[in-house]
């Protein structure tokens, strides 16, 4: 599925992600919880976890496309 990101306006990258994920997290009361997420919710959480790990959607693009986007973005500013 094509994915965009507010960190990279006007950029869309085709990214393969798991359709279903199992997540363990702490709620605001620091109580540990678990759940299974599917489809778009699973995609959004994987995208957000990538951000926490310093990964952007551009990191999934082939090198040639990354270079083209780099040039395009430099021309904007
Ligand atoms: Zn993002």
């Amino acid at each position: 599925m094509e994915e965009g990101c507010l960190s990279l306006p006007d950029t869309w990258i085709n990214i393969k992600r798991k359709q279903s994920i199992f997540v363990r997290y702490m709620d605001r009361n620091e109580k540990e919880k678990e759940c299974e997420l599917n489809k778009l919710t699973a995609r959004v959480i994987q995208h957000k976890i990538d951000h926490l790990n310093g990964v952007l959607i551009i990191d999934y693009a082939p090198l040639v496309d990354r270079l083209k986007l780099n040039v395009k973005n430099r021309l904007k500013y």
Side-chain angles (χ1 to χ4, degrees):
M1 179 181 201
E2 269 196 336
E3 222 172 272
C5 178
L6 294 174
S7 299
L8 298 164
D10 304 323
T11 301
W12 299 92
I13 309 279
N14 220 352
I15 301 175
K16 269 189 173 182
R17 295 207 189 263
K18 301 286 184 195
Q19 287 276 332
S20 171
I21 59 173
F22 182 81
V23 180
R24 183 176 297 132
Y25 63 98
M26 289 232 202
D27 69 9
R28 68 180 77 177
N29 299 315
E30 298 185 15
K31 185 175 180 189
E32 194 169 299
K33 298 202 168 182
E34 303 174 339
C35 67
E36 184 177 351
L37 304 171
N38 300 295
K39 299 180 181 175
L40 187 58
T41 309
R43 178 171 289 275
V44 169
I45 294 301
Q46 289 172 87
H47 181 109
K48 294 300 180 188
I49 290 171
D50 275 353
H51 276 294
L52 293 173
N53 291 322
V55 175
L56 292 173
I57 58 172
I58 191 76
D59 296 315
Y60 288 93
L63 180 59
V64 170
D65 293 343
R66 276 187 263 165
L67 292 171
K68 284 182 196 168
L69 286 167
N70 192 16
V71 169
K72 186 178 104 186
N73 286 335
R74 282 176 190 231
L75 292 174
K76 279 187 189 172
Y77 301 106

